[in-house]
Every structure is written in C-alpha cells, then in structure tokens.
Amino acid sequence: MNGDRMFELAQALAIAKSRQDVPAAMELFHQDVVLEVPAFGTTAQGRAANEKALIRFFASFPDYDVELQGHADDGDTLICWGAARMTLTGDRFAVVPNGNRAELPVFIQFTFKDGLIAGERFFFFDLSALCAQSGVSTDAVRRKVFGDIADVEPRPKPSPSTQGDKTWHQTHE
C-alpha cells in the first residue's frame, strides 16, 4: 500500500475518533486488527474487542480529539505524530480528575492488511503528563493500570556456588 493511502486511512480514523464515531472507526479496521495502548498496558485483538475498547476509552475521555501533524512510512508501516486533547472523566483509573483538558504530543504506529488498518500502537504519550494536567497521581493511575508492583516477587538469583554452571539452570527451570 502506498504512503498516501496509509495516511488517508489514519486521518479518517483520527477524524472518526475525534467525533467519538465508533461505527466509522470500525469500518477502517481489518477483522484481525490489534490495538495496543502501551501507556495503559492494554491490547485488543479483533473488531469486537476493539469496539469495546473504543467505547470504554470514550467513556473515560468523552472529548477526545487528535490532530495528525505529520507522518512517515516505509511502505508497510506508517508513523504519525501530532497532538491529542482530552479530559479525563469518571473513575476508571480510581482517581478524581480536576476536569481540565490535557494536551499531549502523541506518536501512533499503524500497520495495514487488505487495504485496512491491521494494527495501531496507539498513543505513545507521557502518562505522567496526562496525570499532571488532569490533577491526579501518576502513581495511583499506574497502580490501577499495572497493579501494585510492590507485590511482585523478585526473580531468584543464583548462589555463588552454582553461578555460571548448568546446576543452577537445571534446578530452577
């Protein structure tokens, strides 16, 4: 697919999402589309899961608006950059936002299949900036999104007597 067509699809998706028009966004997705949102630690695969993810996202950010300001492609993948504006609402992240609209620089990676968007690594953005502009604790949001990392047990370390030989690997695999 040529770069102009890739950007047309990405721009149409940006417009649909800025209008919170889930049906229009869904028309642009391949049936096996994968949406990844690294900042929120989420992945949705397939149209049904993506529809649910968009509805949930718009419940949290009802005035979401994205402007694609530039792009580059390699014939297979499209990278767009721009700005997203949104107001955090509700209690999805277990915090009480201040109601201010946040503005964040974003980078979005798209892949394509059969003339449709097959993948979107949505929204590489600074979660701390969103939290700061929304008046909420980044730590509280991270705990809600990723869990309490303090509950994770550290990985066992080899003892000096078995370090470097197969004994440690054989007993700890």
Side-chain angles (χ1 to χ4, degrees), residues 9-10 13-14 17 25 28-29 32-38 42-44 50 54 64 66 68 78 80 106-112 116-124:
L9 289 167
L13 182 61
K17 286 183 173 183
L28 301 166
F29 289 148
D32 299 324
V33 64
V34 176
L35 170 68
E36 297 176 73
V37 185
T42 59
T43 300
N50 274 277
L54 284 176
Y64 174 78
V66 64
L68 302 180
L78 175 72
C80 295
V106 295
F107 299 88
I108 307 167
Q109 176 185 355
F110 295 95
T111 57
F112 302 86
L116 296 168
I117 296 171
E120 182 183 9
R121 291 200 80 200
F122 175 62
F123 221 26
F124 288 98

PDB file of all heavy atoms in Angstrom, residues 9-10 13-14 17 25 28-29 32-38 42-44 50 54 64 66 68 78 80 106-112 116-124:
ATOM      1  N   LEU A   9      -6.127   6.580   5.455  1.00  0.00           N
ATOM      2  CA  LEU A   9      -6.809   5.723   6.425  1.00  0.00           C
ATOM      3  C   LEU A   9      -6.568   6.210   7.859  1.00  0.00           C
ATOM      4  O   LEU A   9      -7.496   6.264   8.670  1.00  0.00           O
ATOM      5  CB  LEU A   9      -6.358   4.268   6.276  1.00  0.00           C
ATOM      6  CG  LEU A   9      -6.848   3.540   5.030  1.00  0.00           C
ATOM      7  CD1 LEU A   9      -6.086   2.232   4.848  1.00  0.00           C
ATOM      8  CD2 LEU A   9      -8.348   3.284   5.113  1.00  0.00           C
ATOM      9  N   ALA A  10      -5.327   6.558   8.177  1.00  0.00           N
ATOM     10  CA  ALA A  10      -5.006   7.047   9.521  1.00  0.00           C
ATOM     11  C   ALA A  10      -5.746   8.351   9.809  1.00  0.00           C
ATOM     12  O   ALA A  10      -6.286   8.543  10.908  1.00  0.00           O
ATOM     13  CB  ALA A  10      -3.497   7.244   9.668  1.00  0.00           C
ATOM     14  N   LEU A  13      -9.355   7.655  10.476  1.00  0.00           N
ATOM     15  CA  LEU A  13      -9.521   7.116  11.824  1.00  0.00           C
ATOM     16  C   LEU A  13      -9.421   8.236  12.858  1.00  0.00           C
ATOM     17  O   LEU A  13     -10.205   8.274  13.818  1.00  0.00           O
ATOM     18  CB  LEU A  13      -8.475   6.035  12.107  1.00  0.00           C
ATOM     19  CG  LEU A  13      -8.582   5.360  13.463  1.00  0.00           C
ATOM     20  CD1 LEU A  13      -9.930   4.653  13.632  1.00  0.00           C
ATOM     21  CD2 LEU A  13      -7.433   4.366  13.648  1.00  0.00           C
ATOM     22  N   ALA A  14      -8.485   9.153  12.673  1.00  0.00           N
ATOM     23  CA  ALA A  14      -8.355  10.286  13.591  1.00  0.00           C
ATOM     24  C   ALA A  14      -9.642  11.112  13.619  1.00  0.00           C
ATOM     25  O   ALA A  14     -10.110  11.516  14.688  1.00  0.00           O
ATOM     26  CB  ALA A  14      -7.160  11.158  13.194  1.00  0.00           C
ATOM     27  N   LYS A  17     -12.381   9.044  15.443  1.00  0.00           N
ATOM     28  CA  LYS A  17     -12.153   9.022  16.890  1.00  0.00           C
ATOM     29  C   LYS A  17     -12.396  10.401  17.508  1.00  0.00           C
ATOM     30  O   LYS A  17     -12.911  10.499  18.621  1.00  0.00           O
ATOM     31  CB  LYS A  17     -10.746   8.535  17.208  1.00  0.00           C
ATOM     32  CG  LYS A  17     -10.573   7.047  16.996  1.00  0.00           C
ATOM     33  CD  LYS A  17      -9.177   6.623  17.397  1.00  0.00           C
ATOM     34  CE  LYS A  17      -9.007   5.127  17.355  1.00  0.00           C
ATOM     35  NZ  LYS A  17      -7.655   4.726  17.811  1.00  0.00           N
ATOM     36  N   ALA A  25     -15.073   4.332  12.829  1.00  0.00           N
ATOM     37  CA  ALA A  25     -13.728   3.817  13.119  1.00  0.00           C
ATOM     38  C   ALA A  25     -13.652   2.331  12.784  1.00  0.00           C
ATOM     39  O   ALA A  25     -12.669   1.869  12.180  1.00  0.00           O
ATOM     40  CB  ALA A  25     -13.375   4.045  14.591  1.00  0.00           C
ATOM     41  N   LEU A  28     -12.804   1.081   9.258  1.00  0.00           N
ATOM     42  CA  LEU A  28     -11.422   1.247   8.806  1.00  0.00           C
ATOM     43  C   LEU A  28     -10.511   0.117   9.267  1.00  0.00           C
ATOM     44  O   LEU A  28      -9.371   0.013   8.821  1.00  0.00           O
ATOM     45  CB  LEU A  28     -10.874   2.588   9.311  1.00  0.00           C
ATOM     46  CG  LEU A  28     -11.662   3.810   8.844  1.00  0.00           C
ATOM     47  CD1 LEU A  28     -11.264   5.035   9.653  1.00  0.00           C
ATOM     48  CD2 LEU A  28     -11.473   4.034   7.365  1.00  0.00           C
ATOM     49  N   PHE A  29     -11.015  -0.748  10.153  1.00  0.00           N
ATOM     50  CA  PHE A  29     -10.211  -1.811  10.751  1.00  0.00           C
ATOM     51  C   PHE A  29     -10.356  -3.132  10.015  1.00  0.00           C
ATOM     52  O   PHE A  29     -11.460  -3.551   9.682  1.00  0.00           O
ATOM     53  CB  PHE A  29     -10.629  -2.047  12.210  1.00  0.00           C
ATOM     54  CG  PHE A  29     -10.252  -0.955  13.164  1.00  0.00           C
ATOM     55  CD1 PHE A  29     -11.061  -0.686  14.258  1.00  0.00           C
ATOM     56  CD2 PHE A  29      -9.095  -0.219  13.016  1.00  0.00           C
ATOM     57  CE1 PHE A  29     -10.733   0.294  15.165  1.00  0.00           C
ATOM     58  CE2 PHE A  29      -8.749   0.772  13.910  1.00  0.00           C
ATOM     59  CZ  PHE A  29      -9.563   1.027  14.999  1.00  0.00           C
ATOM     60  N   ASP A  32      -8.917  -8.640  11.897  1.00  0.00           N
ATOM     61  CA  ASP A  32      -7.961  -9.108  12.910  1.00  0.00           C
ATOM     62  C   ASP A  32      -7.156  -7.969  13.534  1.00  0.00           C
ATOM     63  O   ASP A  32      -6.062  -8.188  14.058  1.00  0.00           O
ATOM     64  CB  ASP A  32      -6.991 -10.121  12.284  1.00  0.00           C
ATOM     65  CG  ASP A  32      -7.703 -11.351  11.757  1.00  0.00           C
ATOM     66  OD1 ASP A  32      -8.688 -11.788  12.386  1.00  0.00           O
ATOM     67  OD2 ASP A  32      -7.282 -11.876  10.710  1.00  0.00           O
ATOM     68  N   VAL A  33      -7.669  -6.763  13.484  1.00  0.00           N
ATOM     69  CA  VAL A  33      -6.939  -5.590  13.956  1.00  0.00           C
ATOM     70  C   VAL A  33      -6.472  -5.776  15.405  1.00  0.00           C
ATOM     71  O   VAL A  33      -7.164  -6.363  16.235  1.00  0.00           O
ATOM     72  CB  VAL A  33      -7.803  -4.309  13.833  1.00  0.00           C
ATOM     73  CG1 VAL A  33      -9.024  -4.361  14.722  1.00  0.00           C
ATOM     74  CG2 VAL A  33      -6.975  -3.070  14.094  1.00  0.00           C
ATOM     75  N   VAL A  34      -5.261  -5.276  15.658  1.00  0.00           N
ATOM     76  CA  VAL A  34      -4.696  -5.296  17.001  1.00  0.00           C
ATOM     77  C   VAL A  34      -4.427  -3.857  17.414  1.00  0.00           C
ATOM     78  O   VAL A  34      -3.713  -3.130  16.728  1.00  0.00           O
ATOM     79  CB  VAL A  34      -3.386  -6.115  17.057  1.00  0.00           C
ATOM     80  CG1 VAL A  34      -2.759  -6.031  18.446  1.00  0.00           C
ATOM     81  CG2 VAL A  34      -3.646  -7.557  16.671  1.00  0.00           C
ATOM     82  N   LEU A  35      -5.025  -3.459  18.520  1.00  0.00           N
ATOM     83  CA  LEU A  35      -4.836  -2.122  19.085  1.00  0.00           C
ATOM     84  C   LEU A  35      -4.035  -2.272  20.367  1.00  0.00           C
ATOM     85  O   LEU A  35      -4.440  -2.994  21.279  1.00  0.00           O
ATOM     86  CB  LEU A  35      -6.181  -1.475  19.392  1.00  0.00           C
ATOM     87  CG  LEU A  35      -6.149  -0.183  20.210  1.00  0.00           C
ATOM     88  CD1 LEU A  35      -5.529   0.950  19.406  1.00  0.00           C
ATOM     89  CD2 LEU A  35      -7.554   0.192  20.656  1.00  0.00           C
ATOM     90  N   GLU A  36      -2.883  -1.621  20.418  1.00  0.00           N
ATOM     91  CA  GLU A  36      -2.047  -1.631  21.615  1.00  0.00           C
ATOM     92  C   GLU A  36      -1.961  -0.216  22.159  1.00  0.00           C
ATOM     93  O   GLU A  36      -1.719   0.727  21.414  1.00  0.00           O
ATOM     94  CB  GLU A  36      -0.646  -2.114  21.291  1.00  0.00           C
ATOM     95  CG  GLU A  36      -0.570  -3.535  20.779  1.00  0.00           C
ATOM     96  CD  GLU A  36       0.845  -3.893  20.384  1.00  0.00           C
ATOM     97  OE1 GLU A  36       1.685  -4.091  21.289  1.00  0.00           O
ATOM     98  OE2 GLU A  36       1.110  -3.933  19.168  1.00  0.00           O
ATOM     99  N   VAL A  37      -2.150  -0.083  23.469  1.00  0.00           N
ATOM    100  CA  VAL A  37      -2.000   1.206  24.133  1.00  0.00           C
ATOM    101  C   VAL A  37      -0.976   1.015  25.251  1.00  0.00           C
ATOM    102  O   VAL A  37      -1.341   0.683  26.379  1.00  0.00           O
ATOM    103  CB  VAL A  37      -3.344   1.732  24.685  1.00  0.00           C
ATOM    104  CG1 VAL A  37      -3.170   3.138  25.256  1.00  0.00           C
ATOM    105  CG2 VAL A  37      -4.417   1.726  23.614  1.00  0.00           C
ATOM    106  N   PRO A  38       0.311   1.163  24.926  1.00  0.00           N
ATOM    107  CA  PRO A  38       1.352   0.923  25.923  1.00  0.00           C
ATOM    108  C   PRO A  38       1.193   1.742  27.202  1.00  0.00           C
ATOM    109  O   PRO A  38       1.451   1.228  28.294  1.00  0.00           O
ATOM    110  CB  PRO A  38       2.642   1.298  25.185  1.00  0.00           C
ATOM    111  CG  PRO A  38       2.317   1.088  23.740  1.00  0.00           C
ATOM    112  CD  PRO A  38       0.861   1.485  23.613  1.00  0.00           C
ATOM    113  N   THR A  42      -2.709  -1.972  27.628  1.00  0.00           N
ATOM    114  CA  THR A  42      -3.816  -2.747  27.071  1.00  0.00           C
ATOM    115  C   THR A  42      -3.545  -3.156  25.625  1.00  0.00           C
ATOM    116  O   THR A  42      -2.844  -2.465  24.890  1.00  0.00           O
ATOM    117  CB  THR A  42      -5.139  -1.964  27.114  1.00  0.00           C
ATOM    118  OG1 THR A  42      -4.992  -0.757  26.367  1.00  0.00           O
ATOM    119  CG2 THR A  42      -5.522  -1.613  28.541  1.00  0.00           C
ATOM    120  N   THR A  43      -4.146  -4.287  25.253  1.00  0.00           N
ATOM    121  CA  THR A  43      -4.128  -4.778  23.884  1.00  0.00           C
ATOM    122  C   THR A  43      -5.509  -5.333  23.580  1.00  0.00           C
ATOM    123  O   THR A  43      -6.071  -6.068  24.385  1.00  0.00           O
ATOM    124  CB  THR A  43      -3.075  -5.895  23.703  1.00  0.00           C
ATOM    125  OG1 THR A  43      -1.786  -5.371  24.011  1.00  0.00           O
ATOM    126  CG2 THR A  43      -3.070  -6.436  22.285  1.00  0.00           C
ATOM    127  N   ALA A  44      -6.057  -4.967  22.436  1.00  0.00           N
ATOM    128  CA  ALA A  44      -7.345  -5.504  21.986  1.00  0.00           C
ATOM    129  C   ALA A  44      -7.129  -6.107  20.608  1.00  0.00           C
ATOM    130  O   ALA A  44      -6.550  -5.468  19.731  1.00  0.00           O
ATOM    131  CB  ALA A  44      -8.394  -4.398  21.923  1.00  0.00           C
ATOM    132  N   ASN A  50     -11.952  -4.421  19.838  1.00  0.00           N
ATOM    133  CA  ASN A  50     -11.605  -3.026  19.581  1.00  0.00           C
ATOM    134  C   ASN A  50     -12.813  -2.106  19.747  1.00  0.00           C
ATOM    135  O   ASN A  50     -12.673  -0.986  20.223  1.00  0.00           O
ATOM    136  CB  ASN A  50     -10.984  -2.879  18.195  1.00  0.00           C
ATOM    137  CG  ASN A  50      -9.504  -3.139  18.238  1.00  0.00           C
ATOM    138  OD1 ASN A  50      -8.731  -2.258  18.562  1.00  0.00           O
ATOM    139  ND2 ASN A  50      -9.111  -4.372  17.964  1.00  0.00           N
ATOM    140  N   LEU A  54     -12.769   0.993  22.335  1.00  0.00           N
ATOM    141  CA  LEU A  54     -13.061   2.385  21.970  1.00  0.00           C
ATOM    142  C   LEU A  54     -14.203   2.949  22.810  1.00  0.00           C
ATOM    143  O   LEU A  54     -14.127   4.095  23.271  1.00  0.00           O
ATOM    144  CB  LEU A  54     -13.404   2.488  20.480  1.00  0.00           C
ATOM    145  CG  LEU A  54     -12.225   2.408  19.523  1.00  0.00           C
ATOM    146  CD1 LEU A  54     -12.719   2.432  18.080  1.00  0.00           C
ATOM    147  CD2 LEU A  54     -11.233   3.528  19.769  1.00  0.00           C
ATOM    148  N   TYR A  64     -12.275  13.474  23.508  1.00  0.00           N
ATOM    149  CA  TYR A  64     -11.018  13.131  22.840  1.00  0.00           C
ATOM    150  C   TYR A  64     -10.965  13.728  21.439  1.00  0.00           C
ATOM    151  O   TYR A  64     -11.920  13.642  20.668  1.00  0.00           O
ATOM    152  CB  TYR A  64     -10.872  11.604  22.762  1.00  0.00           C
ATOM    153  CG  TYR A  64      -9.674  11.164  21.962  1.00  0.00           C
ATOM    154  CD1 TYR A  64      -8.400  11.212  22.505  1.00  0.00           C
ATOM    155  CD2 TYR A  64      -9.815  10.717  20.657  1.00  0.00           C
ATOM    156  CE1 TYR A  64      -7.299  10.813  21.771  1.00  0.00           C
ATOM    157  CE2 TYR A  64      -8.708  10.309  19.912  1.00  0.00           C
ATOM    158  CZ  TYR A  64      -7.462  10.372  20.484  1.00  0.00           C
ATOM    159  OH  TYR A  64      -6.372   9.984  19.748  1.00  0.00           O
ATOM    160  N   VAL A  66      -7.845  14.209  18.285  1.00  0.00           N
ATOM    161  CA  VAL A  66      -6.457  14.020  17.884  1.00  0.00           C
ATOM    162  C   VAL A  66      -6.222  14.721  16.553  1.00  0.00           C
ATOM    163  O   VAL A  66      -7.075  14.692  15.662  1.00  0.00           O
ATOM    164  CB  VAL A  66      -6.072  12.519  17.804  1.00  0.00           C
ATOM    165  CG1 VAL A  66      -6.849  11.797  16.737  1.00  0.00           C
ATOM    166  CG2 VAL A  66      -4.575  12.350  17.596  1.00  0.00           C
ATOM    167  N   LEU A  68      -3.384  14.866  13.578  1.00  0.00           N
ATOM    168  CA  LEU A  68      -2.162  14.310  12.997  1.00  0.00           C
ATOM    169  C   LEU A  68      -1.437  15.440  12.270  1.00  0.00           C
ATOM    170  O   LEU A  68      -1.976  16.030  11.340  1.00  0.00           O
ATOM    171  CB  LEU A  68      -2.493  13.163  12.043  1.00  0.00           C
ATOM    172  CG  LEU A  68      -3.275  12.002  12.648  1.00  0.00           C
ATOM    173  CD1 LEU A  68      -3.535  10.925  11.604  1.00  0.00           C
ATOM    174  CD2 LEU A  68      -2.578  11.437  13.869  1.00  0.00           C
ATOM    175  N   LEU A  78       3.218   2.912   8.947  1.00  0.00           N
ATOM    176  CA  LEU A  78       3.057   4.366   8.960  1.00  0.00           C
ATOM    177  C   LEU A  78       3.225   4.854  10.389  1.00  0.00           C
ATOM    178  O   LEU A  78       2.661   4.264  11.312  1.00  0.00           O
ATOM    179  CB  LEU A  78       1.655   4.739   8.462  1.00  0.00           C
ATOM    180  CG  LEU A  78       1.264   6.221   8.519  1.00  0.00           C
ATOM    181  CD1 LEU A  78       2.009   7.020   7.447  1.00  0.00           C
ATOM    182  CD2 LEU A  78      -0.238   6.373   8.342  1.00  0.00           C
ATOM    183  N   CYS A  80       2.656   8.304  12.601  1.00  0.00           N
ATOM    184  CA  CYS A  80       2.074   9.647  12.621  1.00  0.00           C
ATOM    185  C   CYS A  80       2.430  10.311  13.942  1.00  0.00           C
ATOM    186  O   CYS A  80       2.595   9.637  14.955  1.00  0.00           O
ATOM    187  CB  CYS A  80       0.556   9.579  12.494  1.00  0.00           C
ATOM    188  SG  CYS A  80      -0.026   8.938  10.922  1.00  0.00           S
ATOM    189  N   VAL A 106       1.684  13.127  20.697  1.00  0.00           N
ATOM    190  CA  VAL A 106       1.483  11.684  20.523  1.00  0.00           C
ATOM    191  C   VAL A 106       2.208  11.187  19.286  1.00  0.00           C
ATOM    192  O   VAL A 106       2.448  11.939  18.342  1.00  0.00           O
ATOM    193  CB  VAL A 106      -0.016  11.310  20.405  1.00  0.00           C
ATOM    194  CG1 VAL A 106      -0.751  11.605  21.690  1.00  0.00           C
ATOM    195  CG2 VAL A 106      -0.678  12.006  19.238  1.00  0.00           C
ATOM    196  N   PHE A 107       2.528   9.906  19.317  1.00  0.00           N
ATOM    197  CA  PHE A 107       3.083   9.189  18.182  1.00  0.00           C
ATOM    198  C   PHE A 107       2.265   7.925  18.031  1.00  0.00           C
ATOM    199  O   PHE A 107       2.015   7.233  19.020  1.00  0.00           O
ATOM    200  CB  PHE A 107       4.561   8.851  18.417  1.00  0.00           C
ATOM    201  CG  PHE A 107       5.408  10.068  18.603  1.00  0.00           C
ATOM    202  CD1 PHE A 107       5.578  10.627  19.859  1.00  0.00           C
ATOM    203  CD2 PHE A 107       6.012  10.667  17.514  1.00  0.00           C
ATOM    204  CE1 PHE A 107       6.344  11.765  20.033  1.00  0.00           C
ATOM    205  CE2 PHE A 107       6.783  11.802  17.683  1.00  0.00           C
ATOM    206  CZ  PHE A 107       6.943  12.351  18.937  1.00  0.00           C
ATOM    207  N   ILE A 108       1.839   7.623  16.813  1.00  0.00           N
ATOM    208  CA  ILE A 108       0.983   6.469  16.576  1.00  0.00           C
ATOM    209  C   ILE A 108       1.572   5.662  15.427  1.00  0.00           C
ATOM    210  O   ILE A 108       1.886   6.209  14.375  1.00  0.00           O
ATOM    211  CB  ILE A 108      -0.454   6.909  16.220  1.00  0.00           C
ATOM    212  CG1 ILE A 108      -0.998   7.876  17.274  1.00  0.00           C
ATOM    213  CG2 ILE A 108      -1.369   5.694  16.095  1.00  0.00           C
ATOM    214  CD1 ILE A 108      -2.266   8.608  16.844  1.00  0.00           C
ATOM    215  N   GLN A 109       1.699   4.362  15.625  1.00  0.00           N
ATOM    216  CA  GLN A 109       2.239   3.455  14.616  1.00  0.00           C
ATOM    217  C   GLN A 109       1.096   2.619  14.037  1.00  0.00           C
ATOM    218  O   GLN A 109       0.324   2.018  14.790  1.00  0.00           O
ATOM    219  CB  GLN A 109       3.273   2.533  15.250  1.00  0.00           C
ATOM    220  CG  GLN A 109       3.820   1.493  14.305  1.00  0.00           C
ATOM    221  CD  GLN A 109       4.760   0.531  15.025  1.00  0.00           C
ATOM    222  OE1 GLN A 109       5.073   0.686  16.189  1.00  0.00           O
ATOM    223  NE2 GLN A 109       5.191  -0.476  14.307  1.00  0.00           N
ATOM    224  N   PHE A 110       0.992   2.571  12.722  1.00  0.00           N
ATOM    225  CA  PHE A 110      -0.051   1.813  12.045  1.00  0.00           C
ATOM    226  C   PHE A 110       0.567   0.753  11.138  1.00  0.00           C
ATOM    227  O   PHE A 110       1.587   0.999  10.494  1.00  0.00           O
ATOM    228  CB  PHE A 110      -0.897   2.729  11.142  1.00  0.00           C
ATOM    229  CG  PHE A 110      -1.683   3.768  11.878  1.00  0.00           C
ATOM    230  CD1 PHE A 110      -1.186   5.043  12.038  1.00  0.00           C
ATOM    231  CD2 PHE A 110      -2.944   3.480  12.394  1.00  0.00           C
ATOM    232  CE1 PHE A 110      -1.913   6.022  12.697  1.00  0.00           C
ATOM    233  CE2 PHE A 110      -3.677   4.440  13.052  1.00  0.00           C
ATOM    234  CZ  PHE A 110      -3.168   5.715  13.206  1.00  0.00           C
ATOM    235  N   THR A 111      -0.097  -0.399  11.055  1.00  0.00           N
ATOM    236  CA  THR A 111       0.198  -1.402  10.041  1.00  0.00           C
ATOM    237  C   THR A 111      -1.094  -1.674   9.275  1.00  0.00           C
ATOM    238  O   THR A 111      -2.194  -1.330   9.746  1.00  0.00           O
ATOM    239  CB  THR A 111       0.732  -2.712  10.664  1.00  0.00           C
ATOM    240  OG1 THR A 111      -0.226  -3.200  11.603  1.00  0.00           O
ATOM    241  CG2 THR A 111       2.075  -2.485  11.345  1.00  0.00           C
ATOM    242  N   PHE A 112      -0.971  -2.303   8.109  1.00  0.00           N
ATOM    243  CA  PHE A 112      -2.114  -2.436   7.209  1.00  0.00           C
ATOM    244  C   PHE A 112      -2.183  -3.834   6.610  1.00  0.00           C
ATOM    245  O   PHE A 112      -1.170  -4.501   6.452  1.00  0.00           O
ATOM    246  CB  PHE A 112      -2.009  -1.387   6.088  1.00  0.00           C
ATOM    247  CG  PHE A 112      -1.938   0.012   6.631  1.00  0.00           C
ATOM    248  CD1 PHE A 112      -0.726   0.569   7.003  1.00  0.00           C
ATOM    249  CD2 PHE A 112      -3.091   0.755   6.801  1.00  0.00           C
ATOM    250  CE1 PHE A 112      -0.658   1.847   7.533  1.00  0.00           C
ATOM    251  CE2 PHE A 112      -3.035   2.036   7.328  1.00  0.00           C
ATOM    252  CZ  PHE A 112      -1.818   2.579   7.696  1.00  0.00           C
ATOM    253  N   LEU A 116      -6.852  -2.134   4.770  1.00  0.00           N
ATOM    254  CA  LEU A 116      -7.437  -1.622   6.018  1.00  0.00           C
ATOM    255  C   LEU A 116      -6.355  -1.528   7.096  1.00  0.00           C
ATOM    256  O   LEU A 116      -5.263  -2.083   6.957  1.00  0.00           O
ATOM    257  CB  LEU A 116      -8.554  -2.563   6.496  1.00  0.00           C
ATOM    258  CG  LEU A 116      -9.772  -2.675   5.585  1.00  0.00           C
ATOM    259  CD1 LEU A 116     -10.649  -3.840   6.026  1.00  0.00           C
ATOM    260  CD2 LEU A 116     -10.556  -1.373   5.562  1.00  0.00           C
ATOM    261  N   ILE A 117      -6.689  -0.882   8.187  1.00  0.00           N
ATOM    262  CA  ILE A 117      -5.764  -0.776   9.314  1.00  0.00           C
ATOM    263  C   ILE A 117      -5.766  -2.104  10.060  1.00  0.00           C
ATOM    264  O   ILE A 117      -6.804  -2.570  10.534  1.00  0.00           O
ATOM    265  CB  ILE A 117      -6.171   0.382  10.254  1.00  0.00           C
ATOM    266  CG1 ILE A 117      -6.055   1.718   9.514  1.00  0.00           C
ATOM    267  CG2 ILE A 117      -5.306   0.379  11.515  1.00  0.00           C
ATOM    268  CD1 ILE A 117      -6.630   2.904  10.258  1.00  0.00           C
ATOM    269  N   ALA A 118      -4.600  -2.731  10.146  1.00  0.00           N
ATOM    270  CA  ALA A 118      -4.464  -4.030  10.802  1.00  0.00           C
ATOM    271  C   ALA A 118      -3.856  -3.914  12.194  1.00  0.00           C
ATOM    272  O   ALA A 118      -3.990  -4.818  13.010  1.00  0.00           O
ATOM    273  CB  ALA A 118      -3.616  -4.972   9.955  1.00  0.00           C
ATOM    274  N   GLY A 119      -3.181  -2.809  12.447  1.00  0.00           N
ATOM    275  CA  GLY A 119      -2.557  -2.622  13.753  1.00  0.00           C
ATOM    276  C   GLY A 119      -2.407  -1.149  14.063  1.00  0.00           C
ATOM    277  O   GLY A 119      -2.144  -0.341  13.177  1.00  0.00           O
ATOM    278  N   GLU A 120      -2.614  -0.839  15.325  1.00  0.00           N
ATOM    279  CA  GLU A 120      -2.406   0.530  15.791  1.00  0.00           C
ATOM    280  C   GLU A 120      -1.751   0.450  17.154  1.00  0.00           C
ATOM    281  O   GLU A 120      -2.328  -0.076  18.097  1.00  0.00           O
ATOM    282  CB  GLU A 120      -3.744   1.271  15.890  1.00  0.00           C
ATOM    283  CG  GLU A 120      -3.593   2.699  16.326  1.00  0.00           C
ATOM    284  CD  GLU A 120      -4.924   3.419  16.495  1.00  0.00           C
ATOM    285  OE1 GLU A 120      -5.991   2.786  16.433  1.00  0.00           O
ATOM    286  OE2 GLU A 120      -4.877   4.642  16.715  1.00  0.00           O
ATOM    287  N   ARG A 121      -0.507   0.882  17.201  1.00  0.00           N
ATOM    288  CA  ARG A 121       0.150   1.065  18.505  1.00  0.00           C
ATOM    289  C   ARG A 121      -0.177   2.496  18.832  1.00  0.00           C
ATOM    290  O   ARG A 121       0.475   3.432  18.401  1.00  0.00           O
ATOM    291  CB  ARG A 121       1.643   0.831  18.422  1.00  0.00           C
ATOM    292  CG  ARG A 121       1.912  -0.655  18.155  1.00  0.00           C
ATOM    293  CD  ARG A 121       3.271  -1.072  18.517  1.00  0.00           C
ATOM    294  NE  ARG A 121       3.299  -1.268  19.967  1.00  0.00           N
ATOM    295  CZ  ARG A 121       4.408  -1.262  20.670  1.00  0.00           C
ATOM    296  NH1 ARG A 121       5.555  -1.038  20.103  1.00  0.00           N
ATOM    297  NH2 ARG A 121       4.364  -1.470  21.966  1.00  0.00           N
ATOM    298  N   PHE A 122      -1.236   2.606  19.576  1.00  0.00           N
ATOM    299  CA  PHE A 122      -1.963   3.838  19.785  1.00  0.00           C
ATOM    300  C   PHE A 122      -1.307   4.646  20.860  1.00  0.00           C
ATOM    301  O   PHE A 122      -1.158   4.172  21.976  1.00  0.00           O
ATOM    302  CB  PHE A 122      -3.382   3.436  20.171  1.00  0.00           C
ATOM    303  CG  PHE A 122      -4.295   4.534  20.542  1.00  0.00           C
ATOM    304  CD1 PHE A 122      -4.625   5.507  19.639  1.00  0.00           C
ATOM    305  CD2 PHE A 122      -4.851   4.564  21.799  1.00  0.00           C
ATOM    306  CE1 PHE A 122      -5.508   6.492  19.971  1.00  0.00           C
ATOM    307  CE2 PHE A 122      -5.728   5.544  22.145  1.00  0.00           C
ATOM    308  CZ  PHE A 122      -6.062   6.515  21.231  1.00  0.00           C
ATOM    309  N   PHE A 123      -0.900   5.820  20.448  1.00  0.00           N
ATOM    310  CA  PHE A 123      -0.832   6.736  21.514  1.00  0.00           C
ATOM    311  C   PHE A 123       0.384   6.588  22.379  1.00  0.00           C
ATOM    312  O   PHE A 123       0.248   6.391  23.566  1.00  0.00           O
ATOM    313  CB  PHE A 123      -2.050   6.465  22.314  1.00  0.00           C
ATOM    314  CG  PHE A 123      -2.763   7.632  22.827  1.00  0.00           C
ATOM    315  CD1 PHE A 123      -2.711   8.849  22.238  1.00  0.00           C
ATOM    316  CD2 PHE A 123      -3.543   7.465  23.944  1.00  0.00           C
ATOM    317  CE1 PHE A 123      -3.419   9.902  22.740  1.00  0.00           C
ATOM    318  CE2 PHE A 123      -4.245   8.491  24.459  1.00  0.00           C
ATOM    319  CZ  PHE A 123      -4.185   9.712  23.858  1.00  0.00           C
ATOM    320  N   PHE A 124       1.552   6.600  21.768  1.00  0.00           N
ATOM    321  CA  PHE A 124       2.741   6.698  22.594  1.00  0.00           C
ATOM    322  C   PHE A 124       2.724   8.105  23.168  1.00  0.00           C
ATOM    323  O   PHE A 124       2.892   9.079  22.444  1.00  0.00           O
ATOM    324  CB  PHE A 124       4.018   6.494  21.760  1.00  0.00           C
ATOM    325  CG  PHE A 124       4.211   5.087  21.325  1.00  0.00           C
ATOM    326  CD1 PHE A 124       3.837   4.682  20.056  1.00  0.00           C
ATOM    327  CD2 PHE A 124       4.758   4.159  22.185  1.00  0.00           C
ATOM    328  CE1 PHE A 124       4.019   3.379  19.647  1.00  0.00           C
ATOM    329  CE2 PHE A 124       4.944   2.850  21.791  1.00  0.00           C
ATOM    330  CZ  PHE A 124       4.568   2.465  20.522  1.00  0.00           C
TER     331      PHE A 124
END
